[in-house]
PDB file of all heavy atoms in Angstrom:
ATOM      1  N   ALA A1048       0.829  -1.205   0.000  1.00 98.00           N
ATOM      2  CA  ALA A1048       0.000   0.000   0.000  1.00 98.00           C
ATOM      3  C   ALA A1048       0.862   1.254   0.000  1.00 98.00           C
ATOM      4  O   ALA A1048       0.608   2.216  -0.736  1.00 98.00           O
ATOM      5  CB  ALA A1048      -0.931  -0.001   1.222  1.00 98.00           C
ATOM      6  N   VAL A1049       1.915   1.253   0.820  1.00 98.00           N
ATOM      7  CA  VAL A1049       2.826   2.401   0.878  1.00 98.00           C
ATOM      8  C   VAL A1049       3.526   2.580  -0.463  1.00 98.00           C
ATOM      9  O   VAL A1049       3.715   3.705  -0.941  1.00 98.00           O
ATOM     10  CB  VAL A1049       3.854   2.220   2.009  1.00 98.00           C
ATOM     11  CG1 VAL A1049       4.905   3.327   1.965  1.00 98.00           C
ATOM     12  CG2 VAL A1049       3.158   2.217   3.361  1.00 98.00           C
ATOM     13  N   ASP A1050       3.908   1.472  -1.086  1.00 98.00           N
ATOM     14  CA  ASP A1050       4.596   1.561  -2.370  1.00 98.00           C
ATOM     15  C   ASP A1050       3.688   2.163  -3.436  1.00 98.00           C
ATOM     16  O   ASP A1050       4.135   2.951  -4.278  1.00 98.00           O
ATOM     17  CB  ASP A1050       5.067   0.174  -2.805  1.00 98.00           C
ATOM     18  CG  ASP A1050       5.977   0.234  -4.029  1.00 98.00           C
ATOM     19  OD1 ASP A1050       7.017   0.918  -3.952  1.00 98.00           O
ATOM     20  OD2 ASP A1050       5.642  -0.380  -5.057  1.00 98.00           O
ATOM     21  N   ARG A1051       2.421   1.827  -3.403  1.00 98.00           N
ATOM     22  CA  ARG A1051       1.487   2.420  -4.366  1.00 98.00           C
ATOM     23  C   ARG A1051       1.362   3.928  -4.142  1.00 98.00           C
ATOM     24  O   ARG A1051       1.245   4.701  -5.097  1.00 98.00           O
ATOM     25  CB  ARG A1051       0.114   1.755  -4.251  1.00 98.00           C
ATOM     26  CG  ARG A1051       0.064   0.341  -4.801  1.00 98.00           C
ATOM     27  CD  ARG A1051      -1.346  -0.200  -4.841  1.00 98.00           C
ATOM     28  NE  ARG A1051      -2.192   0.546  -5.773  1.00 98.00           N
ATOM     29  CZ  ARG A1051      -3.476   0.294  -5.961  1.00 98.00           C
ATOM     30  NH1 ARG A1051      -4.070  -0.668  -5.280  1.00 98.00           N
ATOM     31  NH2 ARG A1051      -4.187   1.008  -6.806  1.00 98.00           N
ATOM     32  N   CYS A1052       1.405   4.340  -2.890  1.00 98.00           N
ATOM     33  CA  CYS A1052       1.354   5.776  -2.579  1.00 98.00           C
ATOM     34  C   CYS A1052       2.622   6.468  -3.067  1.00 98.00           C
ATOM     35  O   CYS A1052       2.565   7.591  -3.595  1.00 98.00           O
ATOM     36  CB  CYS A1052       1.190   5.984  -1.078  1.00 98.00           C
ATOM     37  SG  CYS A1052      -0.401   5.414  -0.428  1.00 98.00           S
ATOM     38  N   ARG A1053       3.758   5.816  -2.895  1.00 98.00           N
ATOM     39  CA  ARG A1053       5.029   6.376  -3.365  1.00 98.00           C
ATOM     40  C   ARG A1053       4.988   6.591  -4.880  1.00 98.00           C
ATOM     41  O   ARG A1053       5.388   7.646  -5.393  1.00 98.00           O
ATOM     42  CB  ARG A1053       6.180   5.432  -2.997  1.00 98.00           C
ATOM     43  CG  ARG A1053       7.561   5.937  -3.470  1.00 98.00           C
ATOM     44  CD  ARG A1053       8.652   4.919  -3.210  1.00 98.00           C
ATOM     45  NE  ARG A1053       8.827   4.657  -1.780  1.00 98.00           N
ATOM     46  CZ  ARG A1053       8.457   3.558  -1.164  1.00 98.00           C
ATOM     47  NH1 ARG A1053       7.869   2.575  -1.850  1.00 98.00           N
ATOM     48  NH2 ARG A1053       8.673   3.404   0.129  1.00 98.00           N
ATOM     49  N   GLN A1054       4.469   5.612  -5.592  1.00 98.00           N
ATOM     50  CA  GLN A1054       4.371   5.723  -7.049  1.00 98.00           C
ATOM     51  C   GLN A1054       3.407   6.828  -7.453  1.00 98.00           C
ATOM     52  O   GLN A1054       3.641   7.542  -8.442  1.00 98.00           O
ATOM     53  CB  GLN A1054       3.918   4.384  -7.633  1.00 98.00           C
ATOM     54  CG  GLN A1054       4.927   3.248  -7.474  1.00 98.00           C
ATOM     55  CD  GLN A1054       4.384   1.928  -7.988  1.00 98.00           C
ATOM     56  OE1 GLN A1054       3.495   1.894  -8.840  1.00 98.00           O
ATOM     57  NE2 GLN A1054       4.902   0.832  -7.461  1.00 98.00           N
ATOM     58  N   ALA A1055       2.323   6.980  -6.704  1.00 98.00           N
ATOM     59  CA  ALA A1055       1.336   8.021  -7.032  1.00 98.00           C
ATOM     60  C   ALA A1055       1.953   9.407  -6.925  1.00 98.00           C
ATOM     61  O   ALA A1055       1.704  10.273  -7.778  1.00 98.00           O
ATOM     62  CB  ALA A1055       0.136   7.900  -6.094  1.00 98.00           C
ATOM     63  N   VAL A1056       2.751   9.635  -5.884  1.00 98.00           N
ATOM     64  CA  VAL A1056       3.399  10.944  -5.726  1.00 98.00           C
ATOM     65  C   VAL A1056       4.404  11.171  -6.840  1.00 98.00           C
ATOM     66  O   VAL A1056       4.484  12.267  -7.411  1.00 98.00           O
ATOM     67  CB  VAL A1056       4.075  11.053  -4.346  1.00 98.00           C
ATOM     68  CG1 VAL A1056       4.865  12.360  -4.246  1.00 98.00           C
ATOM     69  CG2 VAL A1056       3.041  10.990  -3.230  1.00 98.00           C
ATOM     70  N   GLN A1057       5.158  10.150  -7.168  1.00 97.00           N
ATOM     71  CA  GLN A1057       6.181  10.277  -8.214  1.00 97.00           C
ATOM     72  C   GLN A1057       5.576  10.595  -9.571  1.00 97.00           C
ATOM     73  O   GLN A1057       6.125  11.383 -10.340  1.00 97.00           O
ATOM     74  CB  GLN A1057       7.011   8.993  -8.282  1.00 97.00           C
ATOM     75  CG  GLN A1057       7.916   8.768  -7.082  1.00 97.00           C
ATOM     76  CD  GLN A1057       8.632   7.430  -7.131  1.00 97.00           C
ATOM     77  OE1 GLN A1057       8.288   6.540  -7.929  1.00 97.00           O
ATOM     78  NE2 GLN A1057       9.628   7.251  -6.273  1.00 97.00           N
ATOM     79  N   THR A1058       4.434   9.982  -9.869  1.00 96.00           N
ATOM     80  CA  THR A1058       3.803  10.165 -11.181  1.00 96.00           C
ATOM     81  C   THR A1058       2.753  11.270 -11.177  1.00 96.00           C
ATOM     82  O   THR A1058       2.226  11.617 -12.241  1.00 96.00           O
ATOM     83  CB  THR A1058       3.136   8.854 -11.637  1.00 96.00           C
ATOM     84  OG1 THR A1058       2.132   8.478 -10.680  1.00 96.00           O
ATOM     85  CG2 THR A1058       4.172   7.735 -11.742  1.00 96.00           C
ATOM     86  N   ARG A1059       2.442  11.809  -9.961  1.00 95.00           N
ATOM     87  CA  ARG A1059       1.385  12.814  -9.799  1.00 95.00           C
ATOM     88  C   ARG A1059       0.042  12.268 -10.282  1.00 95.00           C
ATOM     89  O   ARG A1059      -0.807  12.998 -10.789  1.00 95.00           O
ATOM     90  CB  ARG A1059       1.720  14.108 -10.541  1.00 95.00           C
ATOM     91  CG  ARG A1059       3.023  14.754 -10.150  1.00 95.00           C
ATOM     92  CD  ARG A1059       3.087  15.133  -8.692  1.00 95.00           C
ATOM     93  NE  ARG A1059       2.075  16.102  -8.304  1.00 95.00           N
ATOM     94  CZ  ARG A1059       1.936  16.562  -7.055  1.00 95.00           C
ATOM     95  NH1 ARG A1059       2.741  16.113  -6.083  1.00 95.00           N
ATOM     96  NH2 ARG A1059       1.003  17.468  -6.762  1.00 95.00           N
ATOM     97  N   ARG A1060      -0.144  10.983 -10.093  1.00 95.00           N
ATOM     98  CA  ARG A1060      -1.399  10.340 -10.474  1.00 95.00           C
ATOM     99  C   ARG A1060      -2.233  10.109  -9.225  1.00 95.00           C
ATOM    100  O   ARG A1060      -1.734   9.588  -8.235  1.00 95.00           O
ATOM    101  CB  ARG A1060      -1.120   9.005 -11.167  1.00 95.00           C
ATOM    102  CG  ARG A1060      -2.372   8.318 -11.700  1.00 95.00           C
ATOM    103  CD  ARG A1060      -2.002   7.075 -12.478  1.00 95.00           C
ATOM    104  NE  ARG A1060      -3.176   6.412 -13.033  1.00 95.00           N
ATOM    105  CZ  ARG A1060      -3.128   5.312 -13.779  1.00 95.00           C
ATOM    106  NH1 ARG A1060      -1.948   4.760 -14.054  1.00 95.00           N
ATOM    107  NH2 ARG A1060      -4.236   4.774 -14.255  1.00 95.00           N
ATOM    108  N   ARG A1061      -3.505  10.481  -9.278  1.00 95.00           N
ATOM    109  CA  ARG A1061      -4.358  10.412  -8.089  1.00 95.00           C
ATOM    110  C   ARG A1061      -4.514   8.999  -7.558  1.00 95.00           C
ATOM    111  O   ARG A1061      -4.750   8.047  -8.311  1.00 95.00           O
ATOM    112  CB  ARG A1061      -5.737  10.961  -8.422  1.00 95.00           C
ATOM    113  CG  ARG A1061      -6.643  11.118  -7.206  1.00 95.00           C
ATOM    114  CD  ARG A1061      -8.101  11.061  -7.598  1.00 95.00           C
ATOM    115  NE  ARG A1061      -8.490   9.719  -8.006  1.00 95.00           N
ATOM    116  CZ  ARG A1061      -9.705   9.395  -8.427  1.00 95.00           C
ATOM    117  NH1 ARG A1061     -10.623  10.328  -8.519  1.00 95.00           N
ATOM    118  NH2 ARG A1061     -10.005   8.162  -8.775  1.00 95.00           N
ATOM    119  N   LEU A1062      -4.392   8.882  -6.238  1.00 97.00           N
ATOM    120  CA  LEU A1062      -4.659   7.626  -5.548  1.00 97.00           C
ATOM    121  C   LEU A1062      -5.585   7.943  -4.372  1.00 97.00           C
ATOM    122  O   LEU A1062      -5.145   8.411  -3.321  1.00 97.00           O
ATOM    123  CB  LEU A1062      -3.364   6.974  -5.052  1.00 97.00           C
ATOM    124  CG  LEU A1062      -3.530   5.618  -4.357  1.00 97.00           C
ATOM    125  CD1 LEU A1062      -4.041   4.574  -5.359  1.00 97.00           C
ATOM    126  CD2 LEU A1062      -2.218   5.152  -3.747  1.00 97.00           C
ATOM    127  N   LEU A1063      -6.852   7.716  -4.573  1.00 95.00           N
ATOM    128  CA  LEU A1063      -7.860   7.959  -3.545  1.00 95.00           C
ATOM    129  C   LEU A1063      -7.989   6.699  -2.697  1.00 95.00           C
ATOM    130  O   LEU A1063      -8.360   5.637  -3.199  1.00 95.00           O
ATOM    131  CB  LEU A1063      -9.200   8.318  -4.195  1.00 95.00           C
ATOM    132  CG  LEU A1063     -10.393   8.522  -3.263  1.00 95.00           C
ATOM    133  CD1 LEU A1063     -10.112   9.612  -2.245  1.00 95.00           C
ATOM    134  CD2 LEU A1063     -11.638   8.844  -4.082  1.00 95.00           C
ATOM    135  N   ILE A1064      -7.660   6.821  -1.414  1.00 95.00           N
ATOM    136  CA  ILE A1064      -7.625   5.669  -0.508  1.00 95.00           C
ATOM    137  C   ILE A1064      -8.904   5.610   0.317  1.00 95.00           C
ATOM    138  O   ILE A1064      -9.361   6.617   0.855  1.00 95.00           O
ATOM    139  CB  ILE A1064      -6.416   5.758   0.441  1.00 95.00           C
ATOM    140  CG1 ILE A1064      -5.113   5.858  -0.367  1.00 95.00           C
ATOM    141  CG2 ILE A1064      -6.364   4.553   1.375  1.00 95.00           C
ATOM    142  CD1 ILE A1064      -3.906   6.207   0.482  1.00 95.00           C
ATOM    143  N   GLY A1065      -9.458   4.425   0.420  1.00 93.00           N
ATOM    144  CA  GLY A1065     -10.610   4.208   1.279  1.00 93.00           C
ATOM    145  C   GLY A1065     -10.338   3.042   2.207  1.00 93.00           C
ATOM    146  O   GLY A1065      -9.575   2.127   1.861  1.00 93.00           O
ATOM    147  N   VAL A1066     -10.913   3.073   3.390  1.00 94.00           N
ATOM    148  CA  VAL A1066     -10.769   1.961   4.332  1.00 94.00           C
ATOM    149  C   VAL A1066     -12.153   1.547   4.810  1.00 94.00           C
ATOM    150  O   VAL A1066     -13.053   2.384   4.947  1.00 94.00           O
ATOM    151  CB  VAL A1066      -9.878   2.330   5.538  1.00 94.00           C
ATOM    152  CG1 VAL A1066      -8.459   2.633   5.079  1.00 94.00           C
ATOM    153  CG2 VAL A1066     -10.438   3.528   6.303  1.00 94.00           C
ATOM    154  N   ILE A1067     -12.323   0.255   5.059  1.00 95.00           N
ATOM    155  CA  ILE A1067     -13.622  -0.243   5.501  1.00 95.00           C
ATOM    156  C   ILE A1067     -13.477  -1.060   6.779  1.00 95.00           C
ATOM    157  O   ILE A1067     -12.451  -1.698   7.017  1.00 95.00           O
ATOM    158  CB  ILE A1067     -14.314  -1.096   4.415  1.00 95.00           C
ATOM    159  CG1 ILE A1067     -13.422  -2.270   3.986  1.00 95.00           C
ATOM    160  CG2 ILE A1067     -14.696  -0.243   3.224  1.00 95.00           C
ATOM    161  CD1 ILE A1067     -14.136  -3.261   3.084  1.00 95.00           C
ATOM    162  N   ASN A1068     -14.516  -0.992   7.582  1.00 93.00           N
ATOM    163  CA  ASN A1068     -14.608  -1.808   8.783  1.00 93.00           C
ATOM    164  C   ASN A1068     -16.054  -2.286   8.899  1.00 93.00           C
ATOM    165  O   ASN A1068     -16.877  -2.042   8.005  1.00 93.00           O
ATOM    166  CB  ASN A1068     -14.169  -1.013  10.021  1.00 93.00           C
ATOM    167  CG  ASN A1068     -14.913   0.312  10.139  1.00 93.00           C
ATOM    168  OD1 ASN A1068     -16.034   0.474   9.657  1.00 93.00           O
ATOM    169  ND2 ASN A1068     -14.281   1.298  10.769  1.00 93.00           N
ATOM    170  N   ALA A1069     -16.367  -2.951   9.989  1.00 94.00           N
ATOM    171  CA  ALA A1069     -17.716  -3.500  10.145  1.00 94.00           C
ATOM    172  C   ALA A1069     -18.777  -2.408  10.090  1.00 94.00           C
ATOM    173  O   ALA A1069     -19.832  -2.575   9.458  1.00 94.00           O
ATOM    174  CB  ALA A1069     -17.806  -4.265  11.461  1.00 94.00           C
ATOM    175  N   ALA A1070     -18.512  -1.277  10.748  1.00 92.00           N
ATOM    176  CA  ALA A1070     -19.498  -0.196  10.792  1.00 92.00           C
ATOM    177  C   ALA A1070     -19.804   0.342   9.398  1.00 92.00           C
ATOM    178  O   ALA A1070     -20.970   0.596   9.057  1.00 92.00           O
ATOM    179  CB  ALA A1070     -18.995   0.921  11.698  1.00 92.00           C
ATOM    180  N   LYS A1071     -18.773   0.526   8.584  1.00 93.00           N
ATOM    181  CA  LYS A1071     -19.010   1.047   7.235  1.00 93.00           C
ATOM    182  C   LYS A1071     -19.767   0.042   6.380  1.00 93.00           C
ATOM    183  O   LYS A1071     -20.625   0.433   5.570  1.00 93.00           O
ATOM    184  CB  LYS A1071     -17.681   1.416   6.575  1.00 93.00           C
ATOM    185  CG  LYS A1071     -17.088   2.715   7.049  1.00 93.00           C
ATOM    186  CD  LYS A1071     -15.882   3.096   6.204  1.00 93.00           C
ATOM    187  CE  LYS A1071     -15.190   4.319   6.765  1.00 93.00           C
ATOM    188  NZ  LYS A1071     -13.988   4.676   5.989  1.00 93.00           N
ATOM    189  N   ILE A1072     -19.439  -1.245   6.527  1.00 96.00           N
ATOM    190  CA  ILE A1072     -20.157  -2.264   5.762  1.00 96.00           C
ATOM    191  C   ILE A1072     -21.638  -2.209   6.085  1.00 96.00           C
ATOM    192  O   ILE A1072     -22.496  -2.307   5.207  1.00 96.00           O
ATOM    193  CB  ILE A1072     -19.591  -3.662   6.076  1.00 96.00           C
ATOM    194  CG1 ILE A1072     -18.133  -3.783   5.597  1.00 96.00           C
ATOM    195  CG2 ILE A1072     -20.456  -4.738   5.427  1.00 96.00           C
ATOM    196  CD1 ILE A1072     -17.950  -3.676   4.112  1.00 96.00           C
ATOM    197  N   VAL A1073     -21.952  -2.033   7.364  1.00 96.00           N
ATOM    198  CA  VAL A1073     -23.349  -1.943   7.783  1.00 96.00           C
ATOM    199  C   VAL A1073     -23.978  -0.648   7.269  1.00 96.00           C
ATOM    200  O   VAL A1073     -25.085  -0.657   6.712  1.00 96.00           O
ATOM    201  CB  VAL A1073     -23.460  -2.017   9.322  1.00 96.00           C
ATOM    202  CG1 VAL A1073     -24.885  -1.721   9.774  1.00 96.00           C
ATOM    203  CG2 VAL A1073     -23.022  -3.390   9.818  1.00 96.00           C
ATOM    204  N   ASN A1074     -23.290   0.462   7.434  1.00 93.00           N
ATOM    205  CA  ASN A1074     -23.865   1.764   7.074  1.00 93.00           C
ATOM    206  C   ASN A1074     -24.072   1.943   5.582  1.00 93.00           C
ATOM    207  O   ASN A1074     -25.019   2.622   5.155  1.00 93.00           O
ATOM    208  CB  ASN A1074     -22.974   2.890   7.608  1.00 93.00           C
ATOM    209  CG  ASN A1074     -22.993   2.981   9.118  1.00 93.00           C
ATOM    210  OD1 ASN A1074     -23.944   2.530   9.764  1.00 93.00           O
ATOM    211  ND2 ASN A1074     -21.947   3.542   9.701  1.00 93.00           N
ATOM    212  N   LEU A1075     -23.198   1.364   4.768  1.00 91.00           N
ATOM    213  CA  LEU A1075     -23.339   1.588   3.329  1.00 91.00           C
ATOM    214  C   LEU A1075     -24.579   0.891   2.761  1.00 91.00           C
ATOM    215  O   LEU A1075     -24.990   1.180   1.633  1.00 91.00           O
ATOM    216  CB  LEU A1075     -22.066   1.170   2.583  1.00 91.00           C
ATOM    217  CG  LEU A1075     -21.651  -0.302   2.547  1.00 91.00           C
ATOM    218  CD1 LEU A1075     -22.382  -1.110   1.504  1.00 91.00           C
ATOM    219  CD2 LEU A1075     -20.134  -0.389   2.278  1.00 91.00           C
ATOM    220  N   GLN A1076     -25.154  -0.025   3.549  1.00 93.00           N
ATOM    221  CA  GLN A1076     -26.382  -0.687   3.088  1.00 93.00           C
ATOM    222  C   GLN A1076     -27.532   0.312   2.941  1.00 93.00           C
ATOM    223  O   GLN A1076     -28.430   0.102   2.114  1.00 93.00           O
ATOM    224  CB  GLN A1076     -26.791  -1.794   4.079  1.00 93.00           C
ATOM    225  CG  GLN A1076     -25.712  -2.812   4.406  1.00 93.00           C
ATOM    226  CD  GLN A1076     -25.178  -3.528   3.191  1.00 93.00           C
ATOM    227  OE1 GLN A1076     -25.958  -3.980   2.347  1.00 93.00           O
ATOM    228  NE2 GLN A1076     -23.860  -3.640   3.096  1.00 93.00           N
ATOM    229  N   SER A1077     -27.487   1.380   3.728  1.00 93.00           N
ATOM    230  CA  SER A1077     -28.576   2.364   3.691  1.00 93.00           C
ATOM    231  C   SER A1077     -28.100   3.780   3.392  1.00 93.00           C
ATOM    232  O   SER A1077     -28.883   4.726   3.486  1.00 93.00           O
ATOM    233  CB  SER A1077     -29.309   2.363   5.045  1.00 93.00           C
ATOM    234  OG  SER A1077     -28.409   2.644   6.104  1.00 93.00           O
ATOM    235  N   ASP A1078     -26.824   3.915   3.057  1.00 91.00           N
ATOM    236  CA  ASP A1078     -26.258   5.238   2.788  1.00 91.00           C
ATOM    237  C   ASP A1078     -25.646   5.256   1.390  1.00 91.00           C
ATOM    238  O   ASP A1078     -24.482   4.894   1.211  1.00 91.00           O
ATOM    239  CB  ASP A1078     -25.189   5.567   3.835  1.00 91.00           C
ATOM    240  CG  ASP A1078     -24.709   7.011   3.755  1.00 91.00           C
ATOM    241  OD1 ASP A1078     -24.837   7.622   2.676  1.00 91.00           O
ATOM    242  OD2 ASP A1078     -24.197   7.530   4.769  1.00 91.00           O
TER     243      ASP A1078
END
């Protein structure tokens, strides 16, 4: 994951990072 971020900065290519846990899995069902 860190290496992908390093490459994104070097190439100036966007890397939008998202993280999920139990709460988000539940919430996205209705959001």
Side-chain angles (χ1 to χ4, degrees):
V1049 173
D1050 189 58
R1051 288 188 65 182
C1052 293
R1053 179 186 297 107
Q1054 294 176 25
V1056 174
Q1057 290 175 347
T1058 60
R1059 303 300 299 179
R1060 185 175 182 179
R1061 188 205 70 182
L1062 182 66
L1063 176 58
I1064 303 169
V1066 296
I1067 57 171
N1068 53 26
K1071 283 188 186 178
I1072 295 296
V1073 172
N1074 291 337
L1075 66 81
Q1076 307 302 314
S1077 58
D1078 189 336

